[in-house]
Amino acid sequence: MTMKKIILAVLTLLSFGVQEMLAEENGNGVKDFFRSLEYEVNAGTNIGGASPIPLPAEIRKINSYNPELNLQIGATVRKWFGPEEKWGAGLGIRFETKGMKTLATVKNYGMEIIDNGKTLKGRWTGKVQTKYHSQQLVVPLTAFYKLSKRVTLNAGPYLSYAFSNDFDGYVYDGYLREGDPTGNKISFDADSRASYDFGDQLRKFQWGMQLGVSVLVYKQLAVNANLEWGCNDIFNSSFKTISFDLYPIYLNLGFSYVF
């Protein structure tokens, strides 16, 4: 099933849910409508990073990876439908952090560095240390299905707004070819570093898909696992220094309280 078909299926289910909720509101009144909703508060941590798909030829080796501590807290309101209430639709909001640190060995990697106050742009071959950090407000639209009394599946699209973005680091132990791979060669030994900062080039708005499972472990307490897969590049479309797209891919592990 293509991404477009998945999104259309989720939106169709949500539209039916809205129609049923409005019908119930008109029939039984506002108080009964809100009593029929289920509420959830949740917290967790994101493990993952911003990655090209597939790994491009410019990246020869990932020397180290640190997922960092990326916390998330949020809430969801949902409505169950049908006599058995197996299907549901929900709207959520969460605050979350996404980030990582990586050290890679690269060849002919697009780069713009600052060396002794001078900006140099071209193709870098050597080591690259990168830190990515983003704080976001995320709004997921989710369809739910009860696999059993304890296990619930969920899927749907999400929209996010980043109110804080950082993407910076440094290069060392290599050389820069100014302009293109045949340009003037500027060498840096293992003790020399040059910094870079692409934080201003990161997108404010992103969207993607979420797929996950929730298991009720004790009365109203559940544990959750959700895969979030970004569908657009973390950088603005006008940014061409890095020649490939980076997609935010994170696994969220956490818990929730349902009431």
Side-chain angles (χ1 to χ4, degrees):
M1 182 178 289
T2 64
M3 187 69 70
K4 183 180 291 186
K5 289 181 179 178
I6 293 174
I7 293 175
L8 287 174
V10 171
L11 292 179
T12 300
L13 178 60
L14 289 171
S15 68
F16 282 129
V18 170
Q19 292 176 22
E20 184 165 332
M21 283 189 287
L22 290 176
E24 181 171 337
E25 181 177 355
N26 291 332
N28 301 325
V30 176
K31 290 184 179 180
D32 289 341
F33 167 68
F34 282 106
R35 288 195 191 101
S36 70
L37 298 178
E38 183 177 80
Y39 302 90
E40 174 186 290
V41 292
N42 53 74
T45 183
N46 290 319
I47 302 171
S51 174
I53 304 294
L55 204 64
E58 292 94 325
I59 300 179
R60 297 305 174 92
K61 181 181 179 182
I62 303 296
N63 302 95
S64 66
Y65 161 75
N66 181 354
E68 298 195 300
L69 181 62
N70 302 309
L71 300 179
Q72 169 263 322
I73 186 170
T76 300
V77 58
R78 59 177 160 253
K79 171 70 177 176
W80 296 102
F81 311 114
E84 297 182 355
E85 295 191 337
K86 280 187 171 293
W87 288 95
L91 177 66
I93 186 171
R94 62 177 180 259
F95 295 92
E96 65 181 21
T97 301
K98 293 179 177 178
M100 66 173 187
K101 286 183 181 179
T102 61
L103 174 62
T105 300
V106 302
K107 184 175 183 179
N108 293 329
Y109 183 86
M111 182 54 63
E112 184 175 319
I113 60 175
I114 302 172
D115 181 41
N116 295 322
K118 182 180 179 181
T119 300
L120 304 172
K121 186 174 182 179
R123 297 287 177 169
W124 172 259
T125 297
K127 301 290 195 310
V128 178
Q129 175 78 51
T130 298
K131 181 179 180 181
Y132 168 58
H133 184 83
S134 182
Q135 293 180 316
Q136 301 179 2
L137 173 66
V138 183
V139 178
L141 298 171
T142 312
F144 297 92
Y145 177 72
K146 288 183 179 178
L147 203 60
S148 69
K149 290 183 178 181
R150 291 187 174 274
V151 181
T152 301
L153 305 179
N154 73 81
Y158 69 83
L159 302 173
S160 69
Y161 172 77
F163 50 88
S164 175
N165 269 331
D166 296 293
F167 192 101
D168 53 37
Y170 56 86
V171 298
Y172 68 101
D173 193 16
Y175 59 87
L176 181 78
R177 290 283 189 179
E178 287 191 280
D180 58 51
T182 63
N184 181 46
K185 183 178 181 180
I186 303 173
S187 298
F188 293 79
D189 59 32
D191 296 324
S192 299
R193 295 181 178 182
S195 64
Y196 67 91
D197 188 346
F198 301 148
D200 291 341
Q201 300 297 330
L202 290 171
R203 292 180 188 269
K204 290 291 187 181
F205 291 95
Q206 296 179 9
W207 74 281
M209 294 296 297
Q210 174 181 300
L211 177 67
V213 60
S214 177
V215 179
L216 195 65
V217 292
Y218 181 73
K219 293 183 178 179
Q220 294 166 286
L221 183 66
V223 293
N224 311 313
N226 291 289
L227 177 64
E228 299 175 28
W229 194 293
C231 294
N232 55 350
D233 184 10
I234 64 172
F235 289 108
N236 296 318
S237 57
S238 59
F239 180 66
K240 303 299 183 184
T241 300
I242 295 180
S243 58
F244 46 82
D245 293 342
L246 293 172
Y247 299 95
I249 303 170
Y250 284 85
L251 176 64
N252 179 277
L253 300 174
F255 61 92
S256 59
Y257 184 80
V258 182
F259 57 95

